[in-house]
Short mmCIF file of all heavy atoms in Angstrom, two decimals:
data_model
loop_
_atom_site.label_atom_id
_atom_site.label_comp_id
_atom_site.label_asym_id
_atom_site.label_seq_id
_atom_site.Cartn_x
_atom_site.Cartn_y
_atom_site.Cartn_z
N TRP W 481 115.68 122.87 157.56
CA TRP W 481 115.17 122.32 158.84
C TRP W 481 116.21 121.56 159.64
O TRP W 481 116.12 121.43 160.82
CB TRP W 481 113.98 121.43 158.56
CG TRP W 481 112.68 122.18 158.33
CD1 TRP W 481 111.97 122.17 157.14
CD2 TRP W 481 112.02 123.08 159.23
NE1 TRP W 481 110.90 123.01 157.31
CE2 TRP W 481 110.88 123.56 158.57
CE3 TRP W 481 112.29 123.50 160.53
CZ2 TRP W 481 109.99 124.43 159.15
CZ3 TRP W 481 111.39 124.35 161.13
CH2 TRP W 481 110.25 124.85 160.44
N ALA W 492 112.23 126.48 156.48
CA ALA W 492 112.19 125.77 155.21
C ALA W 492 113.44 125.94 154.36
O ALA W 492 113.95 125.02 153.75
CB ALA W 492 110.95 126.23 154.41
N ASP W 510 107.69 128.60 155.55
CA ASP W 510 106.31 128.29 155.16
C ASP W 510 105.45 129.06 156.13
O ASP W 510 105.89 129.40 157.23
CB ASP W 510 106.09 126.78 155.29
CG ASP W 510 106.77 126.06 154.12
OD1 ASP W 510 106.42 126.36 152.99
OD2 ASP W 510 107.66 125.21 154.38
N LEU W 565 106.47 131.49 152.29
CA LEU W 565 106.08 130.62 151.15
C LEU W 565 104.60 130.37 151.20
O LEU W 565 104.13 129.24 151.26
CB LEU W 565 106.89 129.32 151.19
CG LEU W 565 108.38 129.48 151.25
CD1 LEU W 565 109.09 128.25 151.71
CD2 LEU W 565 108.94 129.98 149.92
N ARG W 579 96.29 118.07 150.66
CA ARG W 579 96.61 119.46 150.91
C ARG W 579 95.47 120.42 150.60
O ARG W 579 95.67 121.66 150.59
CB ARG W 579 97.82 119.91 150.08
CG ARG W 579 99.07 119.17 150.53
CD ARG W 579 100.30 119.70 149.75
NE ARG W 579 100.92 120.81 150.53
CZ ARG W 579 102.09 121.33 150.18
NH1 ARG W 579 102.76 120.92 149.15
NH2 ARG W 579 102.56 122.34 150.90
N GLU W 582 95.16 123.66 152.44
CA GLU W 582 96.12 124.76 152.18
C GLU W 582 95.64 125.65 151.06
O GLU W 582 96.24 126.67 150.75
CB GLU W 582 97.51 124.25 151.85
CG GLU W 582 98.22 123.54 153.03
CD GLU W 582 99.66 123.21 152.65
OE1 GLU W 582 100.41 124.15 152.30
OE2 GLU W 582 100.04 122.04 152.67
N LYS W 612 101.83 129.16 144.68
CA LYS W 612 102.30 127.78 144.49
C LYS W 612 101.09 126.84 144.41
O LYS W 612 100.04 127.21 144.84
CB LYS W 612 103.22 127.42 145.64
CG LYS W 612 102.57 127.28 147.03
CD LYS W 612 103.60 127.11 148.11
CE LYS W 612 102.97 126.76 149.43
NZ LYS W 612 103.98 126.68 150.54
N HIS W 613 101.26 125.62 143.89
CA HIS W 613 102.44 124.98 143.31
C HIS W 613 102.11 124.89 141.84
O HIS W 613 101.13 124.19 141.50
CB HIS W 613 102.67 123.61 143.91
CG HIS W 613 102.65 123.64 145.40
ND1 HIS W 613 101.51 123.57 146.20
CD2 HIS W 613 103.69 123.74 146.34
CE1 HIS W 613 101.83 123.63 147.51
NE2 HIS W 613 103.15 123.70 147.60
N ARG W 623 103.14 112.53 143.95
CA ARG W 623 103.35 113.91 143.41
C ARG W 623 104.67 114.06 142.70
O ARG W 623 104.80 114.92 141.85
CB ARG W 623 103.14 114.97 144.47
CG ARG W 623 104.18 114.95 145.57
CD ARG W 623 103.93 116.00 146.67
NE ARG W 623 105.01 116.04 147.63
CZ ARG W 623 105.09 116.86 148.64
NH1 ARG W 623 104.09 117.69 148.88
NH2 ARG W 623 106.08 116.81 149.50
N MET W 656 106.28 129.31 142.69
CA MET W 656 106.94 128.04 143.03
C MET W 656 106.43 126.98 142.04
O MET W 656 105.24 126.63 142.02
CB MET W 656 106.63 127.63 144.46
CG MET W 656 107.42 126.41 144.90
SD MET W 656 106.89 125.74 146.53
CE MET W 656 107.39 127.06 147.60
N TYR W 659 106.08 119.74 141.99
CA TYR W 659 106.84 118.48 141.92
C TYR W 659 106.51 117.67 140.64
O TYR W 659 107.38 117.01 140.09
CB TYR W 659 106.44 117.60 143.11
CG TYR W 659 107.05 118.03 144.41
CD1 TYR W 659 106.24 118.40 145.49
CD2 TYR W 659 108.42 118.02 144.59
CE1 TYR W 659 106.78 118.79 146.69
CE2 TYR W 659 108.97 118.43 145.79
CZ TYR W 659 108.14 118.78 146.83
OH TYR W 659 108.71 119.19 148.04
N ASP W 691 109.94 123.93 143.88
CA ASP W 691 109.51 123.33 145.18
C ASP W 691 110.78 122.53 145.71
O ASP W 691 111.71 122.31 144.96
CB ASP W 691 108.34 122.41 145.02
CG ASP W 691 107.60 122.20 146.34
OD1 ASP W 691 108.23 122.44 147.43
OD2 ASP W 691 106.40 121.85 146.34
N TRP W 692 110.71 122.16 146.93
CA TRP W 692 111.87 121.56 147.58
C TRP W 692 112.07 120.12 147.14
O TRP W 692 111.34 119.21 147.51
CB TRP W 692 111.68 121.64 149.09
CG TRP W 692 112.14 122.89 149.76
CD1 TRP W 692 113.02 122.90 150.81
CD2 TRP W 692 111.79 124.24 149.44
NE1 TRP W 692 113.26 124.24 151.17
CE2 TRP W 692 112.49 125.06 150.37
CE3 TRP W 692 110.99 124.85 148.50
CZ2 TRP W 692 112.40 126.44 150.37
CZ3 TRP W 692 110.89 126.25 148.51
CH2 TRP W 692 111.62 127.01 149.39
N SER W 819 104.39 120.76 155.75
CA SER W 819 105.32 121.91 155.84
C SER W 819 104.62 123.21 156.33
O SER W 819 105.26 124.10 156.81
CB SER W 819 105.98 122.18 154.43
OG SER W 819 104.92 122.42 153.48
N GLU W 895 100.07 117.16 154.21
CA GLU W 895 100.89 117.13 152.98
C GLU W 895 101.54 115.77 152.85
O GLU W 895 101.82 115.10 153.87
CB GLU W 895 101.97 118.19 153.12
CG GLU W 895 102.93 118.21 151.93
CD GLU W 895 104.05 119.23 152.09
OE1 GLU W 895 103.97 120.11 152.98
OE2 GLU W 895 105.01 119.10 151.29
C1 BGC G 723 106.06 121.95 149.88
C2 BGC G 723 106.03 123.46 149.70
C3 BGC G 723 106.86 124.10 150.74
C4 BGC G 723 108.28 123.48 150.69
C5 BGC G 723 109.22 124.09 151.74
C6 BGC G 723 107.44 121.35 150.07
O1 BGC G 723 107.36 120.07 150.51
O2 BGC G 723 105.43 121.34 148.77
O3 BGC G 723 104.73 123.92 149.76
O4 BGC G 723 106.88 125.46 150.62
O5 BGC G 723 108.20 122.12 150.97
O6 BGC G 723 108.93 123.64 153.00
#
Side-chain angles (χ1 to χ4, degrees):
W481 281 117
D510 285 301
L565 306 163
R579 295 187 87 172
E582 292 189 57
K612 68 188 190 184
H613 309 85
R623 67 181 184 181
M656 188 190 291
Y659 286 118
D691 201 340
W692 273 234
S819 59
E895 177 183 344

